Amino acid sequence: YGFAGFAAADIELTEIPELAEARSHADNINQLSDAKNFLILLNPENYTYKSDFIAALAATNYDVIIMDVDFHENISFSQADIDRLSQKANGAKRLVIAYLSIGEAEVYRGYWQEEWYDSPPEWMKEENRHWDGNYIVEYWQEEWQDIVLYSETSMAKRILNAGFDGVYLDIVDGYENFENK
């Protein structure tokens, strides 16, 4: 059916699994429908330096890399970093997609404010019981939308400025948190 499967080494998405030879190829990837494989690596905790993380990703032949806009809390990826990752180890073009949670606020993001622990904004609700440090948000509230989408320092603006090829939106089903309320 053209489905490109992915098997993660761990639920925290910290490892680069070995790409099966049957899925590796030297075709250029110009759009998602060209992809035969992909890598999601959201947590670079196994890398001390951004340069090591980029080198490890650049050494792969994955067609699509889905990664965070930040290496660590206050260290973002640059246009040069994304340009380097846009080429597979075999020389072919690949897509580099940024991860963006639109339905939860995360304590490890640059937008997080310390006072939110004791006095959260009205749009922030309870912590996700499955993911420590992730808080359900009323995604329709203007203040949250500014953080994620509209302000000059928004996550979306940072993703665009870094030159990612697209955005993987997570928690788009966040409305389910409010269906029975």
Side-chain angles (χ1 to χ4, degrees):
Y1 298 108
F3 173 74
F6 173 75
D10 63 57
I11 195 167
E12 298 295 327
L13 301 173
T14 61
E15 306 274 330
I16 301 175
E18 189 173 328
L19 179 61
E21 280 303 311
R23 289 283 186 190
S24 183
H25 60 88
D27 298 342
N28 285 325
I29 306 303
N30 296 305
Q31 54 192 16
L32 283 176
S33 61
D34 296 335
K36 295 178 178 66
N37 59 68
F38 66 97
L39 168 66
I40 299 178
L41 189 59
L42 300 181
N43 186 345
E45 71 182 25
N46 294 334
Y47 300 88
T48 303
Y49 302 104
K50 182 172 78 163
S51 59
D52 293 342
F53 180 71
I54 292 168
L57 291 175
T60 71
N61 285 315
Y62 281 99
D63 292 344
V64 177
I65 295 175
I66 301 169
M67 57 189 269
D68 209 292
V69 68
D70 294 318
F71 172 63
H72 288 303
E73 196 169 310
N74 293 313
I75 302 172
S76 298
F77 292 104
S78 67
Q79 175 76 55
D81 297 332
I82 302 308
D83 288 347
R84 179 163 181 220
L85 293 175
S86 293
Q87 186 175 26
K88 298 192 255 182
N90 63 22
K93 180 184 180 330
R94 80 166 122 223
L95 297 177
V96 184
I97 308 292
Y99 170 88
L100 175 60
S101 176
I102 60 172
E104 290 182 350
E106 300 155 318
V107 300
Y108 43 86
R109 298 285 175 208
Y111 60 71
W112 186 265
Q113 298 175 31
E114 282 297 314
E115 63 265 17
W116 290 355
Y117 286 113
D118 297 322
S119 181
E122 287 186 35
W123 47 263
M124 187 181 304
K125 302 306 174 191
E126 66 270 6
E127 187 173 19
N128 179 331
R129 68 179 194 270
H130 301 292
W131 292 100
D132 291 343
N134 289 17
Y135 291 83
I136 295 167
V137 297
E138 292 179 341
Y139 53 84
W140 58 88
Q141 298 294 336
E142 188 174 330
E143 185 179 356
W144 174 248
Q145 289 182 358
D146 283 345
I147 290 168
V148 175
L149 296 172
Y150 300 121
S151 74
E152 284 302 310
T153 58
S154 72
M155 296 295 290
K157 183 68 101 176
R158 294 178 57 234
I159 289 166
L160 288 171
N161 289 342
F164 283 88
D165 295 305
V167 181
Y168 173 97
L169 298 177
D170 200 7
I171 318 296
V172 296
D173 57 351
Y175 66 89
E176 292 178 347
N177 293 313
F178 302 98
E179 282 186 321
N180 298 322
K181 294 188 179 197

